[in-house]
Amino acid sequence: MKCVRPGKSLVQRGDYAHESFVYGPRWIPFEDSQTFILDSTSKTLTPEWATMLYFEMSQGIVGRPSKQVAQSASTKFQGTRFGNPR
Amino acid sequence: MKKNFLLCLRPCLLRLLCACAALALCSSVNSLQAAPGVGPVLLSNNDSTRAVAVESVTLKSEPFTPNQIVPFSADNRTRIIIFAMNLDTIAGEGVNAFSADAEAVVNGATTRYTLNVEYMSPVPGFEGITEFIVRLNDQMPADMGDVLIRLNLHGMASNRVRVAIGHVGGGPTDDQGAVPTPAPQTPPAPIPAPAQNPYTDPALAAGGDGVRFLEQATWGPTSSDLAHVRSVGFRAYLNEQFAAAPVGSTNYPTLNLFPTDTEVGCSATDYPVLAERTMCFRDNYSMYPLQIMFFQNARNGQDQLRQRVAYALHKILIVSGRDLNNQPAWVAPYLQVFDRNAFGNFRQILMDVTLNPGMGEYLDMRGNSRVSPNENYAREILQLFSVGVDSLNADGTPKLDANGNRISTYDQATITNFARVFTGWNLSPNKTWTNPKTGATAPVPNYIDSMALSNNTSTYDTASKTLLNGQVLPAITAGQDLRQYKTAELNAAIDNIFNNPNTGPFIAKALISQLVTSNPSPAYVQRVAAAFNDNGAGVRGDMKAAITAILLDPESRGDVKSDPNYGHLREPVLLTTNLLRAFNATTDGNISNNGTRFGLLLDMGQDLFNPPTVFSYFPADYQVPGTSALFGPEFGILSTTTTFKRANFINALVLANSGNGFLPITPPIAGNPASSDRPTGTKIDYSAYQAMAGNPAQLVDALNQLLMHGTMSQAMKNSIVTNVTNVTNANPDWRAQTAIYLIASSSQYQVQR
């Protein structure tokens, strides 16, 4: 998976298009503790992303996950947390 | 059967409701004013959000059981009555303008259920209050506790009220800010339903609806288009667009036909330099030239509405480049059909597509013979291109038989008969290919001109055929000219499809889904179908009339749409064009940041002009997982992977390369002709927003208006302002880029409402 640059890939927890379309616009602030970032160093997902994805897949919200992403999510590997954007 | 039964009970029911309503509805001190553009108001008790609701037959109060103990109806399912005010209907609208849903917590998970709205009527003596009968969803468990019920009209959601299923209590928490909504102490007067707004007043475009309109009618709002539509109004803008022509005669010029064999067309002998040979393949055996044209047209063309409609049509009447030998020259004439006829007549579209050589190749009508005729085209023109498999009411809902089952529009015999009509046609005489390297010539199959009747008349099926609705096309008569017979027969078959009552609602719903919303109300479909059926001058199939009806309907217009299921996910193509136009991008049309030919678009799951199946890039009837009857076609290509790719795409466009977008790939190299045709880059212009970077709140507000027509939630706005403020003020470009990235990657933006 091609990853985005560190510190520049804030995505909102719970604020996903499926959920937004079904239940209405959602927004959960991305303070540090809730910030999900793709790790551009290890080319993998941070644990928070993995947890979220695992939840989404288990709920059937997101279908057809790639094998790579599914493995990443299920193993909840460690990644690097980045702080706020510069 | 249930509805009839209820109608039989109607006088009694209404008398009882009078008494019930007098007690239950008039005890409040609150006063609700009818207001257009606000949404319906469901009535609740005085001191809670619990609905005023009764079971529709027995008039018992909650908790309700999903099924009746006494089978009052054939399906034995419970119906409940709820009450509403402030209905902003237009003249002639009835129950099919409304939708309803219930949110519940089932086994710890939030679940949404669609509720059929079966009946509506003013409450006698309280004509300003309307009762609605809704049917509980078949999937609802027997004992789920409280659910939150909502009523939607024209994309506007009501407040949500609590209704108990099985037992009182539990269920979702009330919506933030929810308050009791009892009926006013003084019964409201009925709100007269006005005639449909003609949308000629430019003032109607002054708010967020100006942006919304351009999101539906163009490839995305630009500041100049927005100023213009706000100056002339929606209807005048449409009329201007109907008159706007592409640059040149078409958006997709005819390309040079190359030999079918790539080793001949781009031989190693003719192209000894690998880079040049690769470019030969790219330009003649891939969709690259058409994709480039598409994004250049979308970004810069003045005929925006034509392009949007043509694109929508190409997703309904499908041809895929991957099954046309990947030759762009074979696909261009197919795209020209929609470019040419987007504002013409749908019958002409059906005819031109039928005889298009690309379609002939894709669905096997080319060379079709009376001996075992191929059924592919016959099947798809009926199922996907025109009438669909189910007989439809005028509002696009399926007709049901006495047992509640859907009624087929046609059967296998009908398909076979149409397949026999579609025999005898083949490619027009060969064209000549001139090798650009050597000047040598060779014949190539003609995938440019419309198909013609084959000289091999033994392939013609000339027997009688029975088509839709039992229409019989007679067999050829003795002495009748074979070609005249087959031509007349084809015209009669196209007429048979075009004039079928299903075609109007089927195409109306398909176009609405492409341009406005994935889940239109039946009333909306009905209005558009009516315009399709008769443009007011007795003409059927007038695309301009249908498009006008779609874009100037109360369900498409309005500054805000609060129904959460309204709108649609921006497919990758739309996501791309919207951002390019919003920020005045300069682009060569190649949506790639590494020269890999639209790599970013492919990553997001959409291979332009190469849809994977005849069901298009994503199936029109794709239902959002975990819902009942909620359509979301674009979600068919939104997976965990493509979700990331979307964020990556926006990152590449907005943040990467210090905000310089997709950089040029390898500048031209002297003496290497191939290097002169590399991607020259795509870059958005956010300078106008850099100037606001000193005031993050102003910056976010401006982007909110541009990208989300002012609908950004306060929580989202606060969060983004905080993050933008965290970026040093000494770096205004990074502040602007950060704000754009965060908004564009949010689902509040990606679901276009």
Side-chain angles (χ1 to χ4, degrees):
Chain A
M1 172 175 289
K2 190 172 74 63
C3 294
V4 295
R5 296 169 63 187
K8 299 173 184 173
S9 58
L10 301 175
V11 181
Q12 304 79 20
R13 180 180 191 179
D15 187 23
Y16 310 115
H18 284 92
E19 194 175 344
S20 193
F21 188 63
V22 176
Y23 297 109
R26 301 293 169 95
W27 182 265
I28 295 179
F30 40 75
E31 279 82 21
D32 252 359
S33 61
Q34 294 172 316
T35 297
F36 302 103
I37 298 172
L38 300 184
D39 183 345
S40 65
T41 304
S42 62
K43 306 295 182 192
T44 53
L45 308 175
T46 58
E48 293 88 346
W49 262 113
T51 305
M52 178 277 292
L53 286 175
Y54 183 76
F55 169 78
E56 280 209 329
M57 287 186 284
S58 66
Q59 296 295 310
I61 296 171
V62 172
R64 298 183 298 153
S66 71
K67 184 179 179 183
Q68 178 191 14
V69 171
Q71 287 173 340
S72 300
S74 61
T75 56
K76 299 185 181 180
F77 51 80
Q78 293 298 306
T80 305
R81 168 80 61 77
F82 297 94
N84 287 326
R86 68 184 168 102
Chain B
M1 179 171 283
K2 170 69 178 177
K3 190 169 182 180
N4 290 340
F5 181 76
L6 286 174
L7 288 173
C8 293
L9 282 182
R10 185 64 24 204
C12 174
L13 181 62
L14 293 182
R15 280 197 301 276
L16 287 168
L17 279 172
C18 282
C20 176
L23 292 173
L25 304 180
C26 295
S27 56
S28 166
V29 294
N30 281 9
S31 178
L32 294 170
Q33 297 296 317
V38 172
V41 174
L42 284 174
L43 300 184
S44 75
N45 290 342
N46 278 339
D47 54 358
S48 75
T49 58
R50 191 159 293 282
V52 176
V54 292
E55 197 279 322
S56 68
V57 179
T58 64
L59 303 183
K60 285 184 175 178
S61 61
E62 62 180 6
F64 304 109
T65 56
N67 286 314
Q68 293 284 25
I69 298 170
V70 178
F72 292 115
S73 61
D75 63 11
N76 201 28
R77 201 65 178 169
T78 295
R79 275 82 170 168
I80 63 173
I81 301 175
I82 54 177
F83 300 88
M85 298 169 44
N86 199 60
L87 305 180
D88 188 21
T89 52
I90 60 172
E93 271 191 318
V95 68
N96 68 351
F98 293 86
S99 65
D101 59 80
E103 186 176 315
V105 176
V106 179
N107 299 325
T110 302
T111 308
R112 176 196 173 281
Y113 298 97
T114 300
L115 305 177
N116 284 345
V117 185
E118 295 186 335
Y119 181 82
M120 66 179 282
S121 172
V123 177
F126 302 91
E127 275 74 13
I129 297 173
T130 302
E131 61 161 313
F132 287 86
I133 295 179
V134 297
R135 180 184 183 277
L136 298 187
N137 189 290
D138 288 328
Q139 308 301 320
M140 281 178 154
D143 186 9
M144 58 201 307
D146 284 356
V147 301
L148 289 178
I149 288 185
R150 167 174 40 218
L151 189 68
N152 303 301
L153 170 66
H154 299 165
M156 298 300 294
S158 72
N159 56 313
R160 295 204 295 177
V161 291
R162 305 186 80 79
V163 169
I165 308 294
H167 71 273
V168 176
T173 57
D174 281 346
D175 291 323
Q176 191 174 11
V179 294
T181 50
Q185 198 164 30
T186 302
I191 304 172
Q196 189 168 336
N197 194 320
Y199 290 100
T200 52
D201 183 359
L204 293 168
D209 204 18
V211 176
R212 291 189 62 250
F213 175 82
L214 290 174
E215 287 185 332
Q216 296 162 352
T218 74
W219 289 115
T222 63
S223 53
S224 58
D225 275 359
L226 187 56
H228 183 63
V229 76
R230 284 175 170 166
S231 163
V232 302
F234 297 133
R235 186 171 288 271
Y237 182 88
L238 286 186
N239 289 332
E240 288 175 357
Q241 283 291 302
F242 289 144
V247 176
S249 60
T250 174
N251 282 305
Y252 298 98
T254 300
L255 303 174
N256 292 330
L257 284 169
F258 260 57
T260 304
D261 187 345
T262 59
E263 295 303 316
V264 175
C266 299
S267 71
T269 305
D270 292 338
Y271 296 90
V273 178
L274 179 60
E276 282 190 74
R277 192 174 184 220
T278 301
M279 200 165 72
C280 179
F281 284 122
R282 182 197 70 181
D283 292 343
N284 300 293
Y285 298 98
S286 84
M287 293 301 108
Y288 180 86
L290 299 175
Q291 293 166 332
I292 291 282
M293 288 178 203
F294 173 86
F295 280 103
Q296 289 176 347
N297 294 336
R299 168 64 190 91
N300 302 315
Q302 297 302 305
D303 61 333
Q304 289 282 304
L305 182 61
R306 176 188 300 277
Q307 292 182 40
R308 275 301 301 268
V309 174
Y311 180 76
L313 289 167
H314 114 281
K315 292 199 299 178
I316 299 169
L317 301 94
I318 296 290
V319 160
S320 178
R322 66 178 62 191
D323 292 305
L324 265 58
N325 204 37
N326 291 313
Q327 289 192 251
W330 295 17
V331 176
Y334 157 77
L335 297 175
Q336 289 167 4
V337 168
F338 305 123
D339 203 48
R340 185 169 63 239
N341 295 310
F343 300 150
N345 192 287
F346 189 72
R347 187 197 182 280
Q348 193 65 47
I349 293 172
L350 279 177
M351 179 58 86
D352 285 4
V353 160
T354 298
L355 293 182
N356 176 264
M359 181 62 84
E361 178 73 21
Y362 186 59
L363 290 177
D364 304 299
M365 182 178 158
R366 176 183 71 80
N368 207 10
S369 170
R370 67 180 177 83
V371 180
S372 299
N374 188 296
E375 296 176 352
N376 281 349
Y377 187 67
R379 191 177 299 278
E380 305 308 357
I381 192 176
L382 296 176
Q383 179 179 338
L384 300 176
F385 302 172
S386 60
V387 297
V389 295
D390 297 321
S391 277
L392 302 176
N393 295 305
D395 64 4
T397 55
K399 289 181 178 175
L400 303 178
D401 65 16
N403 296 319
N405 298 317
R406 296 183 177 210
I407 302 167
S408 295
T409 314
Y410 53 86
D411 56 15
Q412 176 57 39
T414 313
I415 295 171
T416 304
N417 277 263
F418 270 101
R420 290 168 49 218
V421 170
F422 300 135
T423 56
W425 297 87
N426 212 329
L427 298 183
S428 286
N430 284 342
K431 296 274 192 185
T432 299
W433 170 63
T434 303
N435 188 326
K437 284 289 188 182
T438 66
T441 60
V444 287
N446 185 349
Y447 279 94
I448 290 178
D449 298 324
S450 294
M451 289 193 293
L453 280 166
S454 166
N455 291 328
N456 182 2
T457 57
S458 68
T459 61
Y460 299 5
D461 189 314
T462 55
S464 172
K465 289 103 179 168
T466 303
L467 307 181
L468 295 171
N469 292 337
Q471 181 183 347
V472 176
L473 303 185
I476 194 168
T477 55
Q480 190 173 2
D481 181 88
L482 274 169
R483 289 174 181 273
Q484 285 181 358
Y485 171 82
K486 287 299 287 182
T487 302
E489 180 191 53
L490 179 65
N491 274 284
I494 295 298
D495 282 338
N496 176 259
I497 297 170
F498 173 68
N499 290 313
N500 189 277
N502 261 33
T503 304
F506 184 89
I507 293 300
K509 195 170 185 178
L511 287 172
I512 292 170
S513 176
Q514 304 265 356
L515 299 175
V516 179
T517 180
S518 302
N519 296 278
S521 72
Y524 184 15
V525 174
Q526 187 166 8
R527 286 189 288 270
V528 176
F532 179 96
N533 294 341
D534 184 346
N535 68 353
V539 176
R540 180 181 175 81
D542 179 356
M543 291 296 292
K544 283 192 281 196
I547 295 159
T548 302
I550 289 171
L551 294 175
L552 299 185
D553 189 272
E555 196 158 319
S556 56
R557 299 278 48 83
D559 286 340
V560 176
K561 296 297 183 184
S562 55
D563 175 357
N565 307 147
Y566 185 88
H568 58 95
L569 179 71
R570 295 178 204 265
E571 62 189 278
V573 163
L574 266 180
L575 175 68
T576 303
T577 60
N578 269 265
L579 291 173
L580 295 183
R581 286 176 60 80
F583 298 105
N584 296 319
T586 52
T587 180
D588 61 357
N590 188 350
I591 307 305
S592 167
N593 62 347
N594 59 7
T596 56
R597 302 180 196 174
F598 298 87
L600 292 172
L601 204 62
L602 288 172
D603 283 351
M604 291 190 282
Q606 192 164 25
D607 190 1
L608 185 61
F609 302 137
N610 276 323
T613 75
V614 75
F615 297 100
S616 187
Y617 302 98
F618 32 79
D621 60 353
Y622 182 83
Q623 292 190 21
V624 179
T627 68
S628 59
L630 181 63
F631 294 107
E634 296 85 355
F635 285 94
I637 55 171
L638 186 69
S639 66
T640 304
T641 303
T642 58
T643 298
F644 287 128
K645 300 297 188 184
R646 282 175 177 250
N648 280 348
F649 163 72
I650 298 162
N651 173 74
L653 184 65
V654 180
L655 297 180
N657 300 318
S658 301
N660 288 312
F662 313 150
L663 298 176
I665 303 297
T666 312
I669 302 168
N672 181 354
S675 71
S676 66
D677 194 17
R678 303 287 180 83
T680 56
T682 295
K683 182 180 180 181
I684 64 173
D685 176 7
Y686 44 81
S687 55
Y689 299 93
Q690 271 178 265
M692 302 177 192
N695 185 339
Q698 183 194 13
L699 169 66
V700 174
D701 272 341
L703 290 169
N704 180 21
Q705 295 302 324
L706 175 71
L707 297 175
M708 299 177 62
H709 39 89
T711 61
M712 184 184 296
S713 69
Q714 191 61 48
M716 177 176 168
K717 185 186 293 184
N718 294 343
S719 196
I720 292 178
V721 168
T722 300
N723 252 271
V724 171
T725 305
N726 285 341
V727 179
T728 173
N729 195 21
N731 201 343
D733 57 336
W734 195 247
R735 278 192 167 188
Q737 291 166 244
T738 300
I740 295 168
Y741 171 77
L742 291 174
I743 294 171
S745 63
S746 75
S747 63
Q748 287 191 29
Y749 169 74
Q750 299 213 16
V751 176
Q752 177 184 311
R753 293 190 168 89

